Structure formats: C-alpha cells, structure tokens
Amino acid sequence: MKKEFIWWIVFGSGIVISFGLAFVFRETQKNYFNKIKMEHHSLHSNLKKLKDDLAFMNNNHEQLNFLMEKGWFIPKNRLIGGEILEELQGSLNEIRYTFEPENIKMIKEISFKVTAIVIEVGAVLENDIYNFIDQLLEKFPGILIPRELMFVREQKVNEKNLHALRQNEFPNFIKGKLVFDWVAMDDENDKK
Amino acid sequence: MREKFFLYLTDDAVFLYSESFEKLLAFKSIYEEAKDELKKLVTYAPKNHLCTLIDRSHQDVREEKLPPLLPWDRVRFLFHKKAEWISQGGYAGWQLLKEKREIYLRWVHILPNDSLMPWLLWAQSLPNPWGGIFFVSLEAGNFMENHFPRSTDYRMLFYNLPAQKPRHVIFKGSRLLLTRLSNGEEDILTSLHFLSRTHPDIHRKLQVLSLVKDVSLPFSHMTTPSDPQAFTRFLASQRRPSLIIRCLGSSKNLWLRRGGVMVYASLFLMAFIAIYQGLDFKKKAFSFLPEIEILKIQIPEHQLLLKNKNILSLRKSVEHYHQLKSHSVNPLETIVQLSILLDKHKIRLESLTWRKEKQLELELTFLMKGKAGRSLANHFESFLASCNEIFSQCEVQVLIAPFNSSSHEIFKNPLRTSYPLTHIKMICP
C-alpha cells in the first residue's frame, strides 16, 4: 500500500511536472509566435508604407519638381521675384511693384505664408497687360494667386498721342493695378 | 539475477523455499508464530524478492465460457463482474482465453474471509520487493507447453514440490480443467472419471507428464523428464505470474484511486493539448520566418530609394497645393469670356475690376455710344441678357444704368450731351 502510494506520488509528480513543462512550452511558443507575428505585421506594414511612398514619389515626381522650382517649400528671395518682374516688363510702358510683409493666412483651414504683391502697370493696349499677367503666372518664382486686377482707360486717343506714338513715345492708354498673393507652404502645418 | 524467496501456501501449511527450492521453513496452521519466524528469515535478506505460490485443493482459478456478445456488451459484462469483485473486496484478477472460437473468462477472486487473505496482506507488507502471486496450477500449464505440442487436447502434469505431497493438474488446450492432491493412483482415476462426464474423449487423448518418480501410473501416453526438478526450476525462472491478481482495496480507496486517475488523465490530456498547441504555434511562427527574411531585405532597398525625403511633409505639401489651386481662379479665363460678351455688343470698357475674395466679383464700366431712347434701352436689355447667358452662374447687378433710367434712379430731361455711362457688377460663386 505504501509502495503504491509512493508510485502515485511519483507518477503524479511526473504528470504535474510534465503538465507544467508542457504549459511553459506552450506559453513560450505562443509568445514567440506573437512576437514573430507582430514583427511580420510591422515589417509588412512598413514595406507597404514604403511602397506607397515610392508610388507617391513616382506619380508626383513632376509636380514635386514644379513645387520645388516655385519655392513652395522654401520661398525664394524677393530680390529674385523683383528681378523676374522687371524681366517680364516687355511691352509695358511702366511697372512699379510693392512686396508687402509676409502674413500667415488661413485658406480652408490650412495656413499659408502669404506675401501680397501690388503691381502698377501702364500700357498702350490692355493685351500688353494680359500678356504680362500670363507670363507672370508662368514664370514668377513662386505660386501666385490673383486677388484683384483693376484696369482703367486713362488717356483719350488724340492727335497729340498719335504724334507721340510716331515719335516712339508710348502713352499709357491703359493703367492697371494688379494684386497677387505670393503663397508658400507654412511649416506649422507639418508640426500639426 | 535477482534472488527470490518462495512462500508456498497450501490448504493446511505454509512453506518458505529458497531460490533453489530448498525448504527453509515449514508451518502447519499456527499462522501467528509462522509469521514471526518467517519475517525474521525473510527480512534477513531484504533485497530478495518474495514470490507467493498458491497450490490448494480448492480450485482458486475459475473459468467460464462467455456467451456470444457484442464487444460493448462484453465490456459491460466485465465491468459488472469487476464491480461485483470490488464490492466484495479481497484480491482479484482476470484474463480472456480463446479456445476453438469460444471465449472463456478465467478469473480468480480471493474473498476477504479466505484463509489466504492474511498471508497475502502480510507478505505484501514485508519490506522485500514483491515478486507476485503465482498459481502453481496455471504455471504448470505453461510448463507443459514446453513438453507437448500445442495441438495436444488433454494434458496432465503429475508433480510434487520438495517435501510436498504429489498433485495433478489437467488442462484441455489452454484451459485448466482440474487440480487435485494425489494420494494415490485412485485419486487421478477419480479425477479423470469426473472429467469424462463432460469430456468423454479424455481417456483416449490424454498425454501425461510425470515428475514423481516413486509413483507409477497406468497411462500409455506418459512422459517422464530426465530432470525431476524441471518444474521447480521453471517456477523459479518465472518473472511474472500467468495471471496477475491485485488487492481490490476499500471502496473509499477505489474512489480515491479513480479520482486520482481522472485527475492524472485530465492533466495528461491537458499537457498533450498544451504540447500540441505549442508545436502548432512553433510551426506557425516558423512559417513566418522566410517571409520576414525577404521583408528584411526589401525594406532597406526601399528605404535607400527614399533616403532624405520627408514623405509626410511632401504629401501634405501636394495636398495643400491642390487645395489652394481649387480655391484660385485664373483671371485670364474670365477675361476671355468677357471679351466674347463685349465683342458681341461692340462695347469698349472704361474700367474693369476683377476681384477674388470668397467670391469672384467683376465690375465693368463702359459708355454706350450711338444709342438713345428706346434703342438704348433695347441694347442695354440685350446686353444684360447676354451677361446672363455667358455668365450664367453669376448674379448681375446694375449699379449705374445708362442715363440713370432705372426705377430706383432720378431720370431727368433733357439728356446730357455726354455718352451714357453704365456700371455693372457681377458676383460669381
């Protein structure tokens, strides 16, 4: 009886130890599996994100280059802007421009760095001003958003003016005031 | 090789033999004294196994033919049989025999009030290793298998252990038919006569193995081995009994044992499940490893391509740029539309204001030349209709009508000599 009891104890201890070891084995393997699964999931997500980013870069390559050239990320110097304005004067009789101080402006809940540029022009024909606007929107080293354009017929066509034209002195039949917003991305958006 | 003591129990005496079947002690009936003496001798060599040999006139080993039952019913029969033994207590054991397509149940049940019980309990309580309980008659059957072919129908062994009376045991195939003391030839003949009632061919087919030299038997098919101690040597060489019997214990112990078995079985099953689950987790984890290795190679390649690029910022930049573009309007497109309107009505503007805040506003000032009265009114009406047609989305407001002829203005006569001035405002969403 005593011997049987000892056998029960020994066998029972063996089974309990085996159960404990089996349980530890299962938990160890479960933890390892969870760790591997998480790592796999993390790597998979990481790769997917990288692939998305690469696809974004490939699809928006031209646009990003355009924005880079236009100083969307880092606005270009005003001196460069002024120089371009003068280069674009072309057939305009006169051009005067003012770069106002930079402001932060909210458009559709997004903040932008905005510099108002006020340009006063004088020309013989309004087409000269339209061409200037067209060229300016294309070639200005920044993103320009037209805010206000004012054209006024200044002088009447008369003999005096025609005589002046004959002398290559171009009267300002049309005067214009052009107001543009020079817009660049605000760094604060990234921090949000 | 392990040394053994043999405790030989008969109907009326107890003997202790050594490994070589040398009689060490013998007692008759006075069991209490015998136990003390035996204990002294047996515990003197505590490492020797103690085997119990039972050889009684009373037939302890019983056999019964089982009816042809389905396996499930057979299990139930055995279960009930065992339950009956357990309820009565003592020692019990059983085995199934198959003989000529018939199944027999061989069983031994030593009841708690049997004279053997105190001896068996006492023997098991000794510190010597337990060698098992051997029924000499059953071991005789195994012994005869070495001397007769298995096809032999009836076999009889006539033997006597050292300092014992001769005994005979009769088998039919592997079935034990009878075991008795043999005081003389008459006893054997009586046994055969008794058996011939149920086995009429026993006289004709009986093969006899005699180990008792000083008794002559009247059988023609009788074999006498050269070694008369062959059977005792055979018994000494047996490691396990042919039929194992165990102490049934009390019902309390039985339930404890069953409970213990259930607990152990549950733990074993749970351990098995845990190992299975662990292996399954391991297999699944390993299945991820090759893919992880590939990912670990691919990721740095992609990272290299995107080095020094803040994609989140770039994404936001593009998104914000698109939002801004959706908000802005190209004034030249408006002017192209306006030129269509002006060409149609041959109008030259004096001033034009294009303003974009929340809404697009367009202000026009022009002189309406060469028109007067009804003609001027018609021309102005036509101009407004064209405005609505070309700028269909816009709201047209007349700030100054030609000659101040609107209903809310002061209209005076005579007309002024200068051309009529018109000031129009259009608000587009």
Side-chain angles (χ1 to χ4, degrees):
Chain A
M1 199 65 188
K2 189 180 171 186
K3 194 175 171 183
E4 188 189 344
F5 181 70
I6 290 167
W7 271 112
W8 273 96
I9 295 291
V10 169
F11 188 65
S13 306
I15 284 197
V16 168
I17 290 167
S18 304
F19 173 73
L21 290 174
F23 187 76
V24 168
F25 171 72
R26 192 193 72 166
E27 287 303 302
T28 309
Q29 293 304 324
K30 190 180 176 183
N31 291 339
Y32 178 64
F33 168 71
N34 286 337
K35 187 185 154 197
I36 290 283
K37 194 180 172 186
M38 277 181 70
E39 188 183 354
H40 177 264
H41 184 257
S42 164
L43 288 171
H44 205 267
S45 307
N46 207 351
L47 183 67
K48 189 175 179 295
K49 189 176 169 297
L50 286 168
K51 279 183 176 173
D52 286 350
D53 290 347
L54 264 180
F56 168 80
M57 289 298 291
N58 290 334
N59 295 338
N60 296 279
H61 181 68
E62 287 180 9
Q63 196 161 40
L64 287 167
N65 280 347
F66 166 76
L67 290 173
M68 198 82 76
E69 283 173 14
K70 286 285 186 181
W72 179 247
F73 306 103
I74 305 163
K76 295 197 175 170
N77 196 303
R78 292 175 176 207
L79 292 173
I80 298 169
E83 197 176 273
I84 295 291
L85 281 175
E86 284 167 17
E87 280 174 14
L88 293 174
Q89 183 176 349
S91 54
L92 295 175
N93 293 340
E94 61 177 45
I95 181 165
R96 285 197 298 273
Y97 54 85
T98 310
F99 287 81
E100 290 182 357
E102 186 181 275
N103 281 319
I104 300 296
K105 189 175 175 183
M106 297 294 288
I107 301 172
K108 290 189 176 176
E109 297 179 357
I110 301 165
S111 64
F112 294 96
K113 289 177 185 172
V114 178
T115 299
I117 305 174
V118 182
I119 306 168
E120 289 173 350
V121 292
V124 177
L125 299 169
E126 60 259 48
N127 278 351
D128 296 331
I129 302 175
Y130 297 152
N131 285 337
F132 169 75
I133 293 170
D134 191 31
Q135 292 285 305
L136 183 67
L137 290 174
E138 190 187 330
K139 294 182 179 172
F140 188 78
I143 306 293
L144 290 181
I145 303 294
R147 198 204 301 168
E148 188 175 358
L149 309 177
M150 290 170 66
F151 307 98
V152 180
R153 195 174 298 283
E154 275 289 309
Q155 296 178 27
K156 303 286 182 187
V157 179
N158 51 34
E159 279 187 17
K160 187 184 171 186
N161 290 338
L162 291 172
H163 181 73
L165 272 172
R166 240 181 269 128
Q167 300 297 318
N168 283 335
E169 291 173 12
F170 299 103
N172 287 333
F173 290 132
I174 300 292
K175 279 205 166 184
K177 184 185 175 188
L178 318 174
V179 183
F180 293 93
D181 280 339
W182 179 7
V183 187
M185 202 182 73
D186 183 15
D187 298 336
E188 291 300 313
N189 289 318
D190 280 348
K191 291 171 189 171
K192 289 172 190 172
Chain B
M1 191 173 168
R2 62 188 186 182
E3 294 289 317
K4 290 176 186 173
F5 285 123
F6 291 99
L7 185 67
Y8 186 69
L9 303 172
T10 64
D11 295 295
D12 54 356
V14 178
F15 300 87
L16 185 72
Y17 288 103
S18 67
E19 173 86 21
S20 56
F21 266 88
E22 183 189 341
K23 192 175 80 176
L24 301 174
L25 282 172
F27 294 96
K28 290 197 175 180
S29 303
I30 314 160
Y31 290 162
E32 288 306 316
E33 284 179 24
K35 279 177 191 172
D36 293 338
E37 290 292 322
L38 284 167
K39 191 173 182 179
K40 278 181 196 170
L41 194 61
V42 169
T43 53
Y44 186 72
K47 288 186 179 175
N48 285 13
H49 284 68
L50 181 63
C51 300
T52 307
L53 299 175
I54 298 172
D55 200 5
R56 301 198 294 181
S57 298
H58 169 70
Q59 196 157 332
D60 293 307
V61 182
R62 298 177 194 189
E63 287 174 6
E64 59 181 294
K65 186 174 148 187
L66 290 180
L69 295 171
L70 290 169
W72 172 243
D73 290 329
R74 192 172 293 159
V75 170
R76 282 179 60 207
F77 171 80
L78 291 172
F79 179 80
H80 287 298
K81 193 87 179 168
K82 205 171 173 185
E84 185 190 338
W85 297 336
I86 289 166
S87 67
Q88 291 172 346
Y91 278 79
W94 61 276
Q95 62 186 187
L96 292 171
L97 300 175
K98 196 169 184 182
E99 189 77 23
K100 292 183 180 173
R101 295 184 181 177
E102 300 283 359
I103 294 174
Y104 294 88
L105 174 68
R106 173 183 285 169
W107 53 276
V108 174
H109 183 206
I110 297 167
L111 291 163
N113 57 2
D114 194 299
S115 59
L116 276 178
M117 273 302 285
W119 283 108
L120 295 176
L121 292 172
W122 172 80
Q124 277 198 302
S125 69
L126 291 173
N128 293 58
W130 181 239
I133 300 169
F134 293 78
F135 291 90
V136 177
S137 50
L138 282 182
E139 304 308 323
N142 292 338
F143 174 72
M144 280 194 287
E145 280 183 7
N146 299 335
H147 294 81
F148 296 118
R150 290 187 75 87
S151 57
T152 310
D153 278 347
Y154 297 96
R155 292 171 291 176
M156 183 174 81
L157 177 69
F158 187 54
Y159 68 95
N160 65 335
L161 295 182
Q164 299 295 326
K165 286 178 183 174
R167 301 179 72 94
H168 63 272
V169 53
I170 301 171
F171 278 84
K172 183 187 181 185
S174 55
R175 287 182 57 207
L176 173 65
L177 297 181
L178 179 139
T179 176
R180 288 280 190 279
L181 272 172
S182 305
N183 288 320
E185 184 186 331
E186 285 300 315
D187 287 334
I188 296 175
L189 292 174
T190 306
S191 296
L192 289 173
H193 179 70
F194 170 72
L195 288 173
S196 66
R197 281 186 268 175
T198 48
H199 302 88
D201 56 345
I202 191 167
H203 289 289
R204 195 162 35 88
K205 295 183 176 175
L206 182 70
Q207 296 280 342
V208 180
L209 183 65
S210 175
L211 298 170
V212 184
K213 280 193 171 176
D214 49 352
V215 177
S216 61
L217 297 173
F219 298 110
S220 54
H221 303 290
M222 191 171 78
T223 310
T224 308
S226 55
D227 180 11
Q229 300 300 317
F231 185 48
T232 53
R233 267 194 263 282
F234 175 79
L235 285 175
S237 68
Q238 295 303 294
R239 284 182 171 272
R240 285 165 55 88
S242 300
L243 177 63
I244 295 168
I245 63 170
R246 289 192 177 88
C247 183
L248 299 168
S250 67
S251 61
K252 186 185 168 188
N253 284 344
L254 179 73
W255 284 111
L256 270 173
R257 199 173 281 128
R258 280 184 182 175
V261 168
M262 286 292 286
V263 170
Y264 288 177
S266 305
L267 283 173
F268 182 76
L269 186 68
M270 285 161 76
F272 179 78
I273 290 168
I275 288 171
Y276 176 79
Q277 287 178 333
L279 289 172
D280 191 43
F281 280 128
K282 193 175 183 177
K283 189 182 166 189
K284 282 181 187 169
F286 281 171
S287 71
F288 277 120
L289 290 179
E291 209 174 329
I292 285 174
E293 288 304 314
I294 294 167
L295 289 171
K296 279 182 177 173
I297 294 167
Q298 285 179 341
I299 284 172
E301 288 173 358
H302 285 72
Q303 279 174 336
L304 195 66
L305 293 170
L306 296 168
K307 198 178 175 185
N308 298 330
K309 288 190 173 70
N310 187 347
I311 302 296
L312 185 66
S313 174
L314 293 176
R315 277 179 187 277
K316 276 189 176 178
S317 305
V318 172
E319 189 187 331
H320 295 172
Y321 173 70
H322 283 295
Q323 292 230 9
L324 189 71
K325 286 290 282 182
S326 69
H327 180 71
S328 67
V329 178
N330 188 345
L332 298 178
E333 288 174 8
T334 318
I335 287 167
V336 168
Q337 275 184 302
L338 187 63
S339 67
I340 296 167
L341 175 70
L342 299 175
D343 283 349
K344 188 177 177 184
H345 293 277
K346 297 187 178 9
I347 289 171
R348 288 182 67 225
L349 292 176
E350 290 300 312
S351 73
L352 166 66
T353 303
W354 179 98
R355 190 180 298 112
K356 176 76 173 80
E357 292 294 336
K358 286 186 179 173
Q359 293 174 317
L360 177 65
E361 290 178 12
L362 209 58
E363 283 187 38
L364 317 172
T365 314
F366 56 91
L367 298 169
M368 298 194 78
K369 295 177 182 173
K371 308 287 182 207
R374 187 175 294 172
S375 166
L376 175 61
N378 288 342
H379 189 69
F380 186 60
E381 288 291 329
S382 165
F383 174 78
L384 290 179
S386 294
C387 277
N388 276 330
E389 189 185 330
I390 293 170
F391 296 95
S392 56
Q393 305 255 322
C394 302
E395 179 192 339
V396 181
Q397 295 176 358
V398 180
L399 299 180
I400 301 173
F403 295 110
N404 295 336
S405 58
S406 286
S407 56
H408 66 282
E409 293 173 313
I410 299 166
F411 181 61
K412 287 198 298 184
N413 236 352
L415 297 173
R416 283 179 294 170
T417 52
S418 61
Y419 292 119
L421 181 74
T422 308
H423 192 175
I424 302 286
K425 185 176 182 179
M426 286 189 278
I427 300 170
C428 304

